[in-house]
């Protein structure tokens, strides 16, 4: 396993971190439940293979992730790893922030947390809640002085326009300068708008962790389109995705949620033998991604002029899912993602079947895209 200095925190961390959000499950009484025994065995194996950064959160795995990680680290293992967990900033109360921290300490069975995150903040929530008077920001600093929090961190999920997310990450970094010590955000071949923010974080001395290095599963499935970006040089789409992320000199840790031994072994194999992509390879990938983006733009540029849809469809989001199939040939992922529309808390909108062909969207589309026809095709393809 390769290790790197984690910004100015003094920690030396494995390039591959284990995300404990997708722990092994099993079927019991017609229900899917977390398999504690397999989960602990997976964590132990990760440690044996050199992983020393484990990320969890209070609500992961039916609220069992912290508890299971805590059990896995008993017997002298706690001192060998860095624990990363999170505080959902539900309000601007410093007292409530501390109560939630105490719950995580109890769940994990520890007296301190190495990297404690303001969880999933946006620039707005950072300003209005985290930095409120006598709020979480000030309480975190006090708890750090007491040694309960070793390093104050944050994970970033700004809900603004996609192209603006990178700018808002930079705003949070500047507003938290001198206090924030590490950042966790999404970054991969398909989600690159935070590259400037990640670079700034590293330059400011923060540890940088990227989640979704294989695109939340999008880049994990075998796909010729992805592998052909470097033909003959990678064994899998996941290998290309991880090598791309870890080739960024501003990224310290690629955090991957792994649910079985096979995934773990493959990711560790890649991280163990990682060789940075050279400038020619990066240029080749860049050119192919730009061409893919151009093709995707023929179907939808994401300008949002068609919105709002009177039938409650998020038209650009639906087309984005369709492009996983149409451009990148990640069809199984696209179908799974499409099935989550209306079910996932992050996709509270209607799928393409709700379209009644009113045509209001087409009258506003600057690209003159035949949206009604595309909606029919999308549902026929992805709902099958």
């Amino acid at each position: 396993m390769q290790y790197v200095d984690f910004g100015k925190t003094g920690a030396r961390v494995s390039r591959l971190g284990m995300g404990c959000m997708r722990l092994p499950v099993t079927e019991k009484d017609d229900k899917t439940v977390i398999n504690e025994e397999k989960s602990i065995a997976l964590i132990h194996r990760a440690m044996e293979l050199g992983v020393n950064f484990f990320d969890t959160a209070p609500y992961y795995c039916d609220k069992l992730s912290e508890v299971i990680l805590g059990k896995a680290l008993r017997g002298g293992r706690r001192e060998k790893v860095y624990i990363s967990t999170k505080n959902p900033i539900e309000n601007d109360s410093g007292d409530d922030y501390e109560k939630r921290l105490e719950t995580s300490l109890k769940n994990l069975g520890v007296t301190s947390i190495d990297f404690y995150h303001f969880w999933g903040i946006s620039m707005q929530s950072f300003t209005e809640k985290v930095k409120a008077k006598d709020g979480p920001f000030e309480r975190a600093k006090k708890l750090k002085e007491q040694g309960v929090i070793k390093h104050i961190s944050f994970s970033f999920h700004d809900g603004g326009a996609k192209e603006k997310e990178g700018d808002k990450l930079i705003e949070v970094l500047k507003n938290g300068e001198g206090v924030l010590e590490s950042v966790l955000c999404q970054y991969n071949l398909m989600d690159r708008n935070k590259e400037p923010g990640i670079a700034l974080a590293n330059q400011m001395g923060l540890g940088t962790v990227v989640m979704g290095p294989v695109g939340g599963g999008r880049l994990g499935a075998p796909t010729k389109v992805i592998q052909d970006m470097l033909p003959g040089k990678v064994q899998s789409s996941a290998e290309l995705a991880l090598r791309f992320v870890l080739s960024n000199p501003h990224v310290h840790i690629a955090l991957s949620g792994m649910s079985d031994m096979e995934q773990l072994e493959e990711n560790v194999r890649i991280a163990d033998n990682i060789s940075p992509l050279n400038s020619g390879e990066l240029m080749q990938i860049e050119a192919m991604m730009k061409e893919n983006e151009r093709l995707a733009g023929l179907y939808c540029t994401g300008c949002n002029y068609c919105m709002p849809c009177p039938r409650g469809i998020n038209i650009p989001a639906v087309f984005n899912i369709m492009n996983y199939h149409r451009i990148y040939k990640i069809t199984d992922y696209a179908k799974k993602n499409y099935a989550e529309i209306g079910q996932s808390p992050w996709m509270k909108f209607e799928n393409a079947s709700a379209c009644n062909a009113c045509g209001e969207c087409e009258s506003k589309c600057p690209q003159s895209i035949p949206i009604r026809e595309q909606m029919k095709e999308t549902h026929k393809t992805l709902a099958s």
Side-chain angles (χ1 to χ4, degrees), residues 260-303:
D260 59 50
M261 292 292 183
E262 185 179 357
Q263 289 178 346
L264 171 64
E265 298 280 351
E266 181 187 12
N267 286 347
V268 169
R269 175 188 63 77
I270 296 167
D272 276 354
N273 301 291
I274 200 74
S275 56
L277 299 172
N278 61 45
S279 58
E281 291 171 332
L282 288 170
M283 287 177 64
Q284 185 174 337
I285 291 172
E286 182 78 22
M288 290 196 71
M289 288 303 294
K290 284 188 179 297
E291 173 61 11
N292 289 335
E293 288 170 8
R294 184 191 71 79
L295 293 172
L298 296 177
Y299 301 109
C300 179
T301 63
C303 69

Side-chain angles (χ1 to χ4, degrees), residues 53 114 184 223-224 257 262 309 327 366 370:
F53 188 95
D114 300 301
L184 169 62
T223 165
K224 191 173 185 298
E262 185 179 357
C309 166
I327 305 299

Side-chain angles (χ1 to χ4, degrees), residues 191-205:
D191 304 298
R192 299 180 56 186
N193 61 323
K194 299 183 188 68
E195 276 184 350
I198 292 170
L200 177 62
N202 183 40
Q203 292 161 11
M204 292 172 66

Side-chain angles (χ1 to χ4, degrees), residues 48-93:
E48 290 172 3
L49 294 171
V51 176
N52 72 353
F53 188 95
F54 292 84
D55 178 82
T56 182
Y59 302 147
Y60 289 173
C61 302
D62 298 327
K63 300 183 179 181
L64 292 173
S65 180
E66 286 184 331
V67 174
I68 291 173
L69 178 59
K71 289 181 179 180
L73 297 180
R74 292 174 185 170
R77 292 184 175 88
R78 166 66 182 100
E79 290 70 29
K80 299 177 181 179
V81 304
Y82 296 104
I83 294 176
S84 161
T85 192
K86 311 175 185 77
N87 192 311
I89 305 302
E90 298 168 352
N91 54 40
D92 62 3
S93 166

